[in-house]
Amino acid sequence: GSTQSTGDMMSKSKISVVWFRNDLRLHDNYALRAAIDWSVTHSGVVLPIYCFDPRWFAKSSVGGFPKTGVFRAQFLRESVIDLRENLQLTEGNVCVRVGKPEEVIPKLISQLQQTHHVENVYAHKEVTQEELDEENKLKIQLEKFGVKLLFSWGHTLVHIEDLPFTPKNMPDVFTTFRKKVEDSLLVRKLVEAPKKIAILQSDSDFWGNIPTLSELYLREVNELVRDPRSVLAFKGGETAALKRVEEYFWTKDCLRNYKETRNGLIGADYSSKFSAWLWNGCLSPRFVYHQLKKYEKERIKNESTYWLLFELLWRDFFRFFGIKHGNKIFFLHGIYSEDVTVKKKWSNDVKAFERWANGETGHPFVDANMKELNATGWMSNRGRQNVASFLARDLNLDWRLGAEYFECLLIDYDVTSNWCNWQYATGVGNDPRGDQRYF
C-alpha cells in the first residue's frame, strides 16, 4: 500500500500554512517568506491564517479587566483588514477565524488533508507562558497529521542567534546589555515583501469575515469613535505603519530632534509612536533600523538618531529578559526571591485603585495622564513611568493591577515591554538602583 499513498501525495496539491500572530505585515516577514519559499520549491500553494483568540478578550487574573480593551481590539481589527487587503494585492488572502489556534488550525488542516497535502505550518516564535502553551498544544495536534510546526524569530531588532550571549546568560542591567550588544551589533537584512503569492484556491466563504467588536466581546459594543484630543489618529495596519515612518523620518524630519522632544507629553510628533505598530508586527524593527541608517547617511547623524536605536534596544532587552526570567515578570515580587520583597506590604485598596484608574487622585500630572489613557488608549513614556511609580510607591498598591490596566487600555501593549517596565518603575525588576528610583 505504500506506493498507493506516495501516489496520492504526488497527485495531491501541497500546502504550506503560514500562521500570522504578531507579525501582521508583508515586509520583512520571515515566516511568510519561509512558507512561500517552501511552496515554490515544492510547486505548492500557501495558506495564510489568522485567529482572533477569545482568550485575549477574557478577564485578567488580578484585577479582572478585559485583557484587550476596545482601543487595541479596534487597532487589531484594522491591522488584519489591512493585512488582507495587502495580501489581495499579491493575489493572496488570509483565512480569518475566531477561536483558539490549537483548535482552529488542526480542524482546518484535517478538512484540507482530504484533497491536499499539508506539510508545514510556519509561524513566528513568542516567548511568554500563554503563547508558549498555545504553541505546544498546536504542535501536539499537528503531529497527529504528520504536520510540522516551524518557527522563525522576528520580534526583536537583533536576532536571538546574533546576540553576544544566550538570553539565559544575558545581563540583568540594561546598560551592560546595551554595551555588549552594541559592540557586536548585527541587524539582519530585510526580507522583501512578496509581489505575487500562489495561494490556495477556495470560495469566498472559506476566507471568513473579520469579526466586529461585538462579535469579539460577545456583547453589544458600539463602534469606536476616536477622541479628537488623541495625540495621533492611530490606525492599525502595515500601510499606516510605513506611512508613519515615512512621515516621521522623511516628510516632517522629526528624527533630528527626537532626543530633545521624546519626553514630551502632548502632540503627534514629540516621539515616533512606532510602538503602536511594532507590538503586533505591522512594522518590523529592522525596517525602522535600516531607514534610520539611511537617514543618518542622507540627512544627519546625531544624538537623536542614536536615541531611537537606544529605544529599540530597550524593547529587545525586555523581550530577552522575558525569556530569561519567564513567569517572574508577572510575579508580585518580580525577579527577586520572595523574601527580598516580603518586607514590602502591597495594598489592594479598591477605592484607591479606582481613583488612580479614573484620574481622580488629586495629583494633576497623574490625573491628566490617566484621563488621556482612558480617552485614547495612549500615554507618553514619561507619563507611564510617573503614574506607575505613583501607584506603587505613593499608593503602595499591588503594581500588577496597574500593569493589567495598561494591558487592557494601551493600543501599543507589548507583553514583555509592559510588564518589565512596570517592574522597573515599581522597584521589583531590573533597575540596579532598586527601590530608590522615583520619577
Side-chain angles (χ1 to χ4, degrees):
S2 61
T3 48
Q4 172 67 41
S5 58
T6 319
D8 277 358
M9 272 175 65
M10 294 303 287
S11 60
K12 284 182 174 182
S13 68
K14 295 175 178 177
I15 303 178
S16 60
V17 175
V18 57
W19 168 32
F20 277 96
R21 302 175 85 191
N22 288 323
D23 53 347
L24 303 179
R25 62 176 183 270
L26 301 198
H27 77 277
D28 198 37
N29 188 319
Y30 295 136
L32 176 63
R33 173 52 56 200
I36 291 171
D37 287 351
W38 188 89
S39 72
V40 169
T41 322
H42 296 80
S43 323
V45 291
V46 176
L47 170 59
I49 178 159
Y50 183 79
C51 300
F52 283 90
D53 191 329
R55 287 169 294 205
W56 302 337
F57 303 92
K59 298 269 193 282
S60 63
S61 54
V62 184
F65 315 111
K67 282 189 163 188
T68 306
V70 286
F71 295 124
R72 195 164 70 262
Q74 178 61 16
F75 190 89
L76 192 54
R77 287 184 69 251
E78 291 164 355
S79 301
V80 179
I81 290 167
D82 188 62
L83 176 69
R84 169 168 279 174
E85 286 169 359
N86 288 337
L87 279 166
Q88 284 169 341
L89 294 173
T90 70
E91 299 180 18
N93 206 331
V94 58
C95 175
V96 174
R97 296 287 184 269
V98 176
K100 299 173 182 175
E102 68 270 26
E103 291 169 5
V104 169
I105 297 172
K107 186 179 165 196
L108 204 58
I109 288 175
S110 75
Q111 291 161 358
L112 290 168
Q113 292 283 49
Q114 320 285 321
T115 45
H116 301 77
H117 173 67
V118 182
E119 182 91 12
N120 301 319
V121 174
Y122 295 89
H124 271 107
K125 192 92 187 76
E126 289 287 333
V127 302
T128 38
Q129 195 62 53
E130 289 170 10
E131 291 73 18
L132 294 175
D133 290 346
E134 174 183 280
E135 289 172 11
N136 289 330
K137 285 176 185 161
L138 177 59
K139 188 168 172 281
I140 290 163
Q141 291 304 316
L142 291 177
E143 278 167 359
K144 296 177 183 171
F145 301 103
V147 176
K148 288 194 284 295
L149 180 55
L150 302 175
F151 286 110
S152 302
W153 182 268
H155 188 82
T156 52
L157 176 63
V158 178
H159 195 285
I160 193 165
E161 289 162 14
D162 299 337
L163 287 172
F165 33 68
T166 63
K168 292 286 176 228
N169 296 319
M170 73 178 266
D172 277 340
V173 176
F174 173 67
T175 306
T176 322
F177 169 90
R178 176 181 61 79
K179 286 179 176 160
K180 286 190 170 172
V181 170
E182 280 177 345
D183 282 347
S184 62
L185 186 66
L186 174 69
V187 177
R188 297 191 175 186
K189 286 195 179 73
L190 296 177
V191 177
E192 270 190 58
K195 302 276 187 289
K196 189 167 183 288
I197 299 173
I199 197 94
L200 176 74
Q201 293 307 305
S202 207
D203 58 19
S204 54
D205 287 353
F206 170 80
W207 296 105
N209 294 323
I210 289 159
T212 62
L213 289 175
S214 300
E215 285 165 343
L216 292 174
Y217 289 101
L218 303 176
R219 61 181 170 80
E220 203 50 51
V221 179
N222 296 327
E223 283 307 305
L224 203 59
V225 179
R226 290 187 201 282
D227 192 299
R229 295 166 302 180
S230 181
V231 289
L232 191 68
F234 291 103
K235 188 171 180 10
E238 178 178 22
T239 308
L242 297 177
K243 186 170 162 238
R244 174 62 183 168
V245 175
E246 179 70 25
E247 186 181 77
Y248 192 77
F249 281 16
W250 305 103
T251 320
K252 294 185 173 176
D253 204 26
C254 301
L255 183 56
R256 69 175 64 227
N257 303 314
Y258 174 72
K259 188 167 192 275
E260 291 72 48
T261 62
R262 60 179 279 280
N263 278 325
L265 298 165
I266 297 293
D269 298 326
Y270 64 80
S271 69
S272 75
K273 314 284 191 299
F274 293 164
S275 60
W277 294 277
L278 284 165
W279 74 272
N280 72 356
C282 291
L283 184 59
S284 159
R286 293 168 297 280
F287 177 79
V288 176
Y289 174 84
H290 290 298
Q291 287 284 301
L292 173 77
K293 288 289 145 194
K294 184 171 180 249
Y295 182 92
E296 287 182 337
K297 211 154 70 200
E298 295 178 16
R299 297 257 171 112
I300 189 172
K301 181 177 180 171
N302 62 11
E303 273 201 309
S304 285
T305 57
Y306 168 70
W307 212 258
L308 189 69
L309 169 64
F310 179 86
E311 293 295 340
L312 286 171
L313 289 175
W314 258 116
R315 186 174 165 274
D316 277 18
F317 172 73
F318 285 144
R319 181 62 43 147
F320 295 125
F321 192 84
I323 296 178
K324 178 175 181 177
H325 293 287
N327 286 338
K328 287 181 183 170
I329 67 169
F330 306 113
F331 290 174
L332 181 59
H333 50 82
I335 64 168
Y336 303 113
S337 62
E338 218 148 338
D339 51 325
V340 178
T341 46
V342 152
K343 61 182 186 297
K344 177 148 183 131
K345 291 280 177 271
W346 299 91
S347 151
N348 280 315
D349 180 340
V350 176
K351 289 275 183 288
F353 176 77
E354 281 174 358
R355 283 195 297 274
W356 176 84
N358 297 330
E360 294 164 357
T361 66
H363 289 72
F365 187 71
V366 171
D367 293 348
N369 274 292
M370 293 307 293
K371 283 177 174 145
E372 181 188 10
L373 175 65
N374 292 328
T376 68
W378 186 264
M379 193 192 295
S380 71
N381 187 48
R382 197 168 118 228
R384 295 178 198 202
Q385 290 175 340
N386 276 279
V387 302
S389 189
F390 187 82
L391 176 101
R393 296 164 192 261
D394 296 66
L395 302 177
N396 226 21
L397 285 166
D398 182 334
W399 63 270
R400 295 171 303 172
L401 290 167
E404 286 184 353
Y405 195 71
F406 271 26
E407 175 173 353
C408 174
L409 280 164
L410 282 172
I411 282 174
D412 70 347
Y413 168 78
D414 172 295
V415 57
T416 45
S417 295
N418 182 65
W419 286 85
C420 295
N421 257 319
W422 267 92
Q423 289 208 351
Y424 201 112
T426 55
V428 299
N430 58 311
D431 188 347
R433 284 154 295 191
D435 215 19
Q436 298 316 304
R437 181 174 173 147
Y438 274 76
F439 291 100

